[in-house]
Amino acid sequence: MKLSTSTMAVIAVLIALAFAPLYLGAYPLTLLGRVLALSIAAVGVMVVWGRAGILSLGQGLFFGLGGYALAMHLKLVATPRGELPDFMLYNGVEALPWFWAPFASAPFALAMVLIFPAAAAGLVAWLMFRRRITGVYVSIITQALLLAFVTWLNGSQGLTSGTNGITDFQTFLGVNLRGPDVANGLYWVTLLFVALALGGTALLLRTPFGAILTAIRDNENRTRFLGFNPAAFKIAAFMLGGLLAGVSGALYTLHLGTISPAMIGTAFSIELVVWVALGGRASLIGAAAGLVLGQLAKDRISSAAPDAWLYVMGSLFVLVVLVMPQGVAGLIRNRRRAPAPAPVPQNPVTREVSDAV
Amino acid sequence: MDFTFISGQLFTGLSVGSILLLAALGLALSFGLMRVINMAHGEFLMVGGYLTYLAAQWAGPTLGDAWLWAAFPLAFLGAALLGAVMEFTVIRRLYGRPLDTLLATFGISLILQQAARQLFGSTGVPVTAPAWLGGALQLGDVTLPFVRLFVIALALIVLGGMWWLLNRSRFGMHVRAVNQNREMAAALGVNTRSLDLLVFALGAGVAGVAGVGLALIAPVNPTVGAAYIVNAFLVVVVGGVGSVLGGAVAAVLLGFVTALAEGFTSVSLAQAILLVLIVAFLQWKPRGLIPTKSRALEEA
């Protein structure tokens, strides 16, 4: 198999990242690990938005489902046998809620990290795409569902610990999460998942499945007329995006040692999309790199000048959209291939067709 | 659940729905006509709220209770001006790319929120309603505060004005013409560029007026717009894009359902249920309560 230059560059970067614990200090390494965990969700956004043309503003929902699935297990492990998690005691809950009980088992919780977000994404997608809801309606509905989830989390003190989120984890699969050697191990595990997500998605998008997603993005009706069922492909893409977001959420929860509604809300979900846009939504590497660099910049600027950060980020959103709709990856690609290809139209026939009525 | 309680909740729902309606009217204009998803629309509401606060601070000492009448033009013009600047600098470059307008305007909303935080602080600023709005109307056992009645009347007046403007004025004729067929309207001499600017500014101005109503009911804080924006979009989607009447019905329904559900369960559960109900509703009527008739294969 012959590897392209960009693939080799990515492998080189991943190898360089694998040795990061040797040359990075404790804080930069932790930060990098967290950001890499988030980049898995960005890969999902690239599949859903960049490839299938579905702009979901509710990825935090699936991210949160993965994160909470793991957090519930970690919380139960940290709670003495036969007792209730501390926040339930404070809120007067007398028996463990039924949906908490199975999470005491690690295999069940780990399976749920994958199944829960993917199934939820499948259901949401089935409801939307079956009725041919498209474009901005999808964005608004996914945002509404995320808001419903976050609102419910915030309001259910006794069941989910509400705004405080689930915290105080001790061990995971017998490993003490507060031990001195955990940082490196967790970092490598995260990097492994990033490599798997990137590689697996890249291979998948090279199959006919990927080609049909592109066809749906560029012209859904024409794809339908060719005999494909766009809804089925969009549901599959959405499930993959949800699955990746869920894995990302679980890893992020491990890194941070907590998960709370504030971490997954509207701001998080839109930010995620914008970092992908900045990197280049049509490019896997662009999406992941955009998120990593964006989050690193956020850490730097928001700790140096907390008040300035929202101005910087807001202006960045506007500039990305105005100046480089295909992101940095698009700019690089255009420079390499002259003359520059036209930017991918979001919905090329819409105007002609609707205006012709 | 007795009658008094339910009618009280319905009344509160009606006033909440009124503000939602005023916010959604502007969205429906820009979304329906220009296919622009304005995530910063809630911030026009916020600007209107803060301008009301400033009007009370500046004009309150000299004008007494009449400051409220100064607040309306101030909030309308302030928000409309901001809208015009936004359209001219950013939105104008993004026509035909609805999802990009969504991202860019979200960036603008972050900037505006942070600016408000630095100017007015992150806690809400209270606006004291004029004394003549202080009382309440007593209907049997049901108490109807004047402030909320005033907000409902405000929404009705703006709705009426908007209906007249769109259906009876020359400006409205142009708006409808562009909505139906932009190229044809342009060919017949409608200046679509300046019409876009006017419509966007008008929508922003109406949101500013909604901000006055909001300030009378609750303190104004930097995230007040963000709290309204998703619901306002849902009003537009549930009502049917571009339909003023559909939006009005949807806003009132949304207000009712929220207020009633809050009476029976907790506030947060009620909101979560409401949002899920809306998604279920769109299964049944994916194009909203009153869909605009179109033979288009797809809509942006």
Side-chain angles (χ1 to χ4, degrees):
Chain A
M1 189 168 84
K2 196 175 174 298
L3 294 175
S4 69
T5 1
S6 57
T7 313
M8 285 196 287
V10 171
I11 291 172
V13 170
L14 285 176
I15 290 173
L17 282 175
F19 288 103
L22 297 180
Y23 51 83
L24 278 187
Y27 177 72
L29 188 73
T30 321
L31 180 66
L32 191 60
R34 272 180 208 173
V35 167
L36 284 171
L38 284 180
S39 76
I40 298 174
V43 170
V45 172
M46 182 272 161
V47 175
V48 173
W49 186 32
R51 252 322 164 81
I54 308 160
L55 177 53
S56 162
L57 295 185
Q59 289 306 100
L61 171 58
F62 313 119
F63 184 90
L65 286 175
Y68 271 96
L70 188 66
M72 284 160 77
H73 171 69
L74 295 176
K75 189 71 193 175
L76 287 178
V77 171
T79 307
R81 199 165 282 279
E83 282 181 32
L84 286 177
D86 47 11
F87 67 87
M88 289 189 188
L89 293 175
Y90 305 147
N91 286 290
V93 177
E94 281 166 7
L96 196 65
W98 60 270
F99 63 89
W100 271 78
F103 283 92
S105 141
F108 178 85
L110 286 177
M112 279 303 131
V113 164
L114 303 175
I115 295 170
F116 215 23
L123 179 68
V124 170
W126 180 72
L127 286 174
M128 291 189 302
F129 303 137
R130 183 180 69 108
R131 294 293 289 170
R132 295 195 190 171
I133 293 173
T134 55
V136 293
Y137 299 98
V138 170
S139 309
I140 294 169
I141 289 174
T142 46
Q143 202 179 14
L145 286 172
L146 170 68
L147 201 66
F149 181 57
V150 171
T151 317
W152 176 76
L153 283 175
N154 275 331
S156 314
Q157 285 286 343
L159 298 178
T160 65
S161 189
T163 42
N164 300 324
I166 304 180
T167 181
D168 283 334
F169 307 140
Q170 308 283 342
T171 58
F172 178 49
L173 300 173
V175 180
N176 180 4
L177 289 173
R178 290 167 182 181
D181 304 321
V182 173
N184 286 2
L186 189 54
Y187 174 83
W188 278 318
V189 170
T190 307
L191 194 63
L192 178 70
F193 274 102
V194 172
L196 279 175
L198 279 176
T201 311
L203 287 177
L204 185 71
L205 290 182
R206 265 184 220 176
T207 62
F209 173 75
I212 293 168
L213 287 188
T214 311
I216 290 172
R217 176 194 68 196
D218 289 346
N219 194 329
E220 181 164 347
N221 278 315
R222 222 171 282 179
T223 316
R224 194 191 320 276
F225 299 152
L226 286 171
F228 297 100
N229 176 11
F233 288 93
K234 285 165 89 172
I235 292 170
F238 208 75
M239 285 178 78
L240 178 59
L243 177 88
L244 289 169
V247 171
S248 172
L251 283 168
Y252 197 65
T253 302
L254 269 180
H255 275 279
L256 238 59
T258 176
I259 181 138
S260 70
M263 283 159 55
I264 63 175
T266 318
F268 165 79
S269 299
I270 298 188
E271 238 183 79
L272 188 64
V273 164
V274 171
W275 295 134
V276 172
L278 175 69
R281 61 182 179 238
S283 149
L284 263 181
I285 308 309
L291 185 114
V292 169
L293 297 177
Q295 288 289 329
L296 291 179
K298 177 181 182 171
D299 179 76
R300 272 293 157 83
I301 301 174
S302 60
S303 58
D307 283 337
W309 171 242
L310 279 179
Y311 293 126
V312 173
M313 188 161 76
S315 321
L316 210 57
F317 280 29
V318 179
L319 281 179
V320 169
V321 171
L322 283 184
V323 183
M324 38 182 195
Q326 289 304 303
V328 177
L331 288 185
I332 295 173
R333 199 174 309 155
N334 287 356
R335 182 158 303 179
R336 232 190 264 163
R337 298 183 205 149
V344 181
Q346 293 226 325
N347 223 335
V349 282
T350 307
R351 291 206 64 82
E352 295 162 38
V353 178
S354 55
D355 287 346
V357 176
Chain B
M1 289 298 149
D2 54 315
F3 172 75
T4 316
F5 176 77
I6 290 184
S7 41
Q9 289 295 100
L10 279 181
F11 178 70
T12 311
L14 197 60
S15 61
V16 171
S18 302
I19 292 185
L20 216 49
L21 172 63
L22 289 178
L25 273 180
L27 274 183
L29 274 182
S30 57
F31 189 29
L33 188 72
M34 294 131 77
R35 297 282 160 202
V36 165
I37 314 297
N38 183 14
M39 294 296 284
H41 193 74
E43 276 61 43
F44 295 143
L45 206 87
M46 175 192 85
V47 166
Y50 279 119
L51 286 174
T52 310
Y53 167 73
L54 290 180
Q57 298 291 102
W58 294 336
T62 46
L63 295 180
D65 279 351
W67 68 263
L68 187 58
W69 307 116
F72 282 111
L74 188 66
F76 179 84
L77 292 176
L81 185 70
L82 185 68
V85 170
M86 225 171 98
E87 203 276 348
F88 199 75
T89 50
V90 177
I91 308 285
R92 168 153 301 196
R93 294 159 216 278
L94 298 173
Y95 286 135
R97 290 158 56 190
L99 296 179
D100 285 344
T101 59
L102 191 157
L103 296 178
T105 52
F106 184 76
I108 296 175
S109 83
L110 290 181
I111 295 173
L112 292 175
Q113 280 176 33
Q114 182 63 18
R117 201 167 284 131
Q118 290 195 292
L119 285 173
F120 297 98
S122 50
T123 49
V125 293
V127 174
T128 318
W132 53 272
L133 278 176
L137 189 67
Q138 201 69 34
L139 278 184
D141 288 340
V142 187
T143 314
L144 311 179
F146 282 141
V147 179
R148 290 190 181 264
L149 282 173
F150 184 77
V151 170
I152 294 171
L154 179 67
L156 285 176
I157 292 168
V158 175
L159 188 66
M162 195 76 108
W163 181 85
W164 181 87
L165 196 65
L166 285 176
N167 293 297
R168 290 286 178 272
S169 72
R170 192 168 184 80
F171 169 76
M173 190 176 72
H174 287 173
V175 171
R176 283 177 293 134
V178 170
N179 196 6
Q180 279 183 14
N181 192 329
R182 178 173 287 267
E183 276 73 27
M184 188 61 79
L188 290 172
V190 177
N191 186 344
T192 56
R193 271 281 145 111
S194 54
L195 196 75
D196 286 338
L197 183 68
L198 276 176
V199 167
F200 200 80
L202 178 67
V206 171
V209 171
V212 181
L214 189 69
L216 292 175
I217 292 183
V220 185
N221 63 56
T223 54
V224 70
Y228 268 84
I229 189 73
V230 176
N231 281 337
F233 265 117
L234 287 174
V235 165
V236 176
V237 171
V238 169
V241 176
S243 162
V244 172
L245 183 66
V249 176
V252 173
L253 278 180
L254 230 68
F256 277 172
V257 177
T258 323
L260 278 183
E262 277 175 13
F264 289 98
T265 63
S266 69
V267 177
S268 61
L269 191 61
Q271 282 192 337
I273 291 172
L274 177 71
L275 292 166
V276 173
L277 276 181
I278 287 173
V279 176
F281 167 81
L282 290 174
Q283 291 297 299
W284 174 48
K285 274 187 164 293
R287 310 192 57 103
L289 277 173
I290 303 183
T292 26
K293 288 201 174 67
S294 160
R295 289 184 307 171
L297 202 50
E298 21 182 300
E299 292 277 334

